[in-house]
Amino acid sequence: MRRHAAAAVALATAAAGLLVPGAPPAAAGAAPAGGAPAGAPSQDRSGAAAPAGTGGISWRECGTDKHPTLQCGTLRVPLDHARPDGERITLALSRVPHTAKTFQGPLLVNPGGPGGSGLNLAGFVAGALPEEVAAQYDVVGFDPRGVGRSEPSLDCAPRHFAPVRPDPVPRNRAEETANLQRVRSFAAACGAKHGRTLRHVDTVSTARDMDLLRAALGAERVNYLGYSYGTYLGAVYARLFPERVRRLVFDSVVDPEAVWYDANLEQNHAFDARHKAFAAWVAEHDAVYRLGTDPARVEARWYEMREAVRARPAGGRVGPGELEDTFAHGGYYDGHWPDLAAGFAAWANEGDEGPLVGLYDSLGAVDAAGDNGFSVYAAVGCRDARWPRSWSAWRADARKAHAKSPFLTWNNTWYNAQCAFWPAPSLTPPDVENHRIPPALLLQAGEDAATPYRGAAAMHRLLGRSRLVVEDGGANHGVSFSGNACMDRYLVDYLADGRLPRAKAGPDAVCDAPPPPAPRRPRKGGSTRERADGAVTGGRGAALHRMIAPRP
């Protein structure tokens, strides 16, 4: 989904540790998934061949202080799966090997995007799971085709997001033309630089890569944990290879019936609602931030700040587009709210631009990894499904949505508008309805903006026997390993021995959302980055959200 593409690979190596016990046990009478009964004797329960059966993968040690057993490798796969003996490309891999006598096979992990790197997610997931569960899996991360250390790695137009770009909200035809020229140029640059490759960078091709990876790992069946777009990738894999699926976990679920234009239209309204929730939280803590006690007035002051940086970008670098990029992170993860509010307050109350610029540097700015991530985001999204080819249709939809939801509509429109001019033809998305796989586990926050709830409900309906666990009142994108012990327990039980909640009408189980974050008084002095410290530090939840929802 949108804004998951600008990968920050180095940030993904954060915060391991064990889950806190104490979440409710699985419902009585819950059935195991994947055919493995609870309490089975120690053995290979995955259907995998001997662990040494790694096909064409040569693993080397690449451990870190947090993940000393981490291994790295590569796998060669066809560029065009219709020509398996033709040109080959290279996928970069990572693995935390199992250590227990009971081996449940590989657990492939994907952070979403499209365009997100999965190399460091393997260590994160292995460290976040209870040790006794992680020890039963080979936790395997990978950079999908075009991403990161895989070769070739796409980079259509370096510095496409360099500040200060045109205001996303066009106020006249000239400003609209400037934005339109920018996305046209990006599409043309992709065609000129990667034209032949673009026809083979899509979700179906990546799913076929995953099955070659499964085979190279020596496993008859694969386990999978996908976040955000990774849920759609997992559903496509399961549709293509149902007999190869053992356990599936989807966290923050894409609407498989809205790929991709309609999904982005829905996001416009969902992110606006989260921005209003942020304003209400700031108003509730007026004693700290001094921005007013009326949420509508707080929101109005934010738009006043936006107008001001349009006239004079903060620090010469943060204009309205960059401001939106930065505050969009509050829609993904409310753990950023205290720091966003502090930067907002420093600018509004004291005229101090430093914290705002520091937040942009920490959250909104795009580096070379981000250029690559966005290039893959565009390549996959534009190739996966048909988009309107008439700009007038985009304009009409954006104007209509902006009238109701002004926070991010035009920014989101330009983020995807290259698909109106994409140089590779579009495919027809596969139908992911599936009644041939073992029960999947779906985890979803009820108010998630990036992947709204209706997507999880649709996936639940389409995947026979799946179970949906909802975080009631939660709105963060990515609900596992983020501080909700109840949600984590459902995930751990499922991976440990297949336990699932009983099937019910609607969600099959509900967990209460954690409380909103506590306010923090703005810091004074220090560097701009130090004064935006919450944007670059934090616990495991913050680390996860930097992996699955990096900006832009």
Side-chain angles (χ1 to χ4, degrees):
M1 296 298 289
R2 177 193 188 273
R3 299 179 182 272
H4 307 174
V9 175
L11 290 173
T13 58
L18 298 182
L19 291 169
V20 177
S42 292
Q43 58 182 343
D44 181 343
R45 300 192 309 196
S46 69
T54 54
I57 304 173
S58 296
W59 295 104
R60 61 179 177 81
E61 302 302 321
C62 59
T64 66
D65 290 341
K66 291 185 185 299
H67 310 297
T69 64
L70 191 70
Q71 299 175 339
C72 297
T74 58
L75 178 68
R76 301 277 285 171
V77 298
L79 172 64
D80 181 354
H81 285 282
R83 296 186 169 188
D85 296 324
E87 181 180 352
R88 303 184 81 74
I89 60 176
T90 301
L91 305 182
L93 313 174
S94 64
R95 177 176 73 165
V96 178
H98 75 286
T99 57
K101 292 181 179 179
T102 297
F103 176 49
Q104 300 208 50
L107 172 63
L108 272 58
V109 295
N110 180 273
S117 168
L119 294 183
N120 291 312
L121 187 60
F124 176 89
V125 169
L129 284 169
E131 185 176 3
E132 66 274 14
V133 177
Q136 297 180 30
Y137 288 93
D138 286 348
V139 185
V140 179
F142 62 101
D143 278 356
R145 53 176 56 207
V147 175
R149 296 182 188 176
S150 291
E151 297 176 356
S153 177
L154 302 188
D155 190 353
C156 298
R159 295 186 57 76
H160 179 65
F161 288 97
V164 173
R165 64 184 191 271
D167 186 343
V169 181
R171 306 193 184 188
N172 52 52
R173 186 53 61 93
E175 292 182 0
E176 181 179 323
T177 299
N179 277 294
L180 200 56
Q181 179 57 37
R182 181 172 170 273
V183 297
R184 281 182 182 270
S185 296
F186 182 87
C190 273
K193 195 170 183 179
H194 302 294
R196 188 167 57 85
T197 301
L198 295 182
R199 290 175 172 265
H200 307 291
V201 181
D202 55 79
T203 299
V204 169
S205 294
T206 300
R208 294 190 181 280
D209 291 343
M210 286 171 54
D211 201 55
L212 294 181
L213 173 56
R214 173 204 57 77
L217 291 168
E220 293 182 9
R221 294 185 296 161
V222 71
N223 308 282
Y224 179 82
L225 167 60
Y227 293 91
S228 193
Y229 161 79
T231 68
Y232 180 67
L233 173 60
V236 171
Y237 177 84
R239 176 69 180 198
L240 294 176
F241 306 101
E243 72 283 0
R244 299 303 188 186
V245 172
R246 183 172 182 267
R247 289 182 185 148
L248 291 177
V249 183
F250 294 166
D251 186 327
S252 303
V253 185
V254 162
D255 187 345
E257 299 177 321
V259 176
W260 292 113
Y261 185 74
D262 290 343
N264 281 281
L265 289 176
E266 186 173 357
Q267 281 184 332
N268 296 333
H269 305 297
F271 271 97
D272 196 82
R274 292 308 300 155
H275 191 58
K276 285 179 168 58
F278 166 69
W281 179 87
V282 172
E284 183 180 350
H285 299 291
D286 180 60
V288 176
Y289 300 112
R290 298 183 294 118
L291 289 165
T293 58
D294 178 9
R297 178 56 187 149
V298 172
E299 187 178 19
R301 292 189 71 177
W302 189 91
Y303 283 104
E304 290 169 6
M305 179 172 63
R306 188 192 189 282
E307 186 68 18
V309 300
R310 172 183 163 91
R312 189 178 70 82
R317 300 175 60 234
V318 182
E322 292 74 25
L323 188 74
E324 291 168 345
D325 295 347
T326 302
F327 278 78
H329 279 268
Y332 285 107
Y333 178 52
D334 63 13
H336 292 309
W337 285 4
D339 301 289
L340 293 171
F344 180 11
W347 187 94
N349 296 331
E350 302 171 21
D352 184 358
E353 298 179 344
L356 200 63
V357 175
L359 285 162
Y360 168 69
D361 288 340
S362 301
L363 294 174
V366 178
D367 59 10
D371 287 335
N372 164 247
F374 179 72
S375 295
V376 178
Y377 170 90
V380 173
C382 298
R383 175 70 170 154
D384 264 4
R386 292 181 175 85
W387 299 73
R389 287 286 181 166
S390 166
W391 173 246
S392 61
W394 291 72
R395 180 196 294 122
D397 286 338
R399 286 176 174 173
K400 181 179 178 182
H402 178 81
K404 179 180 179 182
S405 302
F407 170 56
L408 213 59
T409 289
W410 273 105
N411 191 313
N412 198 17
T413 299
W414 298 120
Y415 196 81
N416 293 279
Q418 64 275 347
C419 293
F421 314 105
W422 201 244
S426 296
L427 302 171
T428 299
D431 177 3
V432 301
E433 184 172 8
N434 201 326
H435 300 278
R436 298 177 57 194
I437 58 173
L441 176 64
L442 315 182
L443 306 175
Q444 179 71 31
E447 305 299 324
D448 185 352
T451 53
Y453 176 78
R454 63 184 289 178
M459 190 74 81
H460 185 32
R461 170 172 47 83
L462 292 171
L463 299 186
R465 298 185 293 155
S466 64
R467 301 291 193 272
L468 172 60
V469 182
V470 173
E471 186 182 70
D472 185 30
N476 288 335
H477 188 60
V479 290
S480 59
F481 308 135
S482 297
N484 190 324
C486 175
M487 299 295 288
D488 287 348
R489 181 50 52 194
Y490 283 108
L491 170 59
V492 169
D493 286 347
Y494 179 66
L495 291 181
D497 53 34
R499 279 175 288 165
L500 287 164
R502 288 180 177 177
K504 298 180 181 177
D508 301 294
V510 175
C511 295
D512 291 334
R520 289 193 294 273
R521 294 190 178 277
R523 293 179 59 183
K524 297 182 182 298
S527 70
T528 57
R529 186 174 289 270
E530 288 170 340
R531 283 179 282 165
D533 68 319
V536 293
T537 61
R540 187 192 296 136
L544 173 68
H545 288 90
R546 285 195 292 270
M547 278 188 279
I548 69 171
R551 174 55 209 165

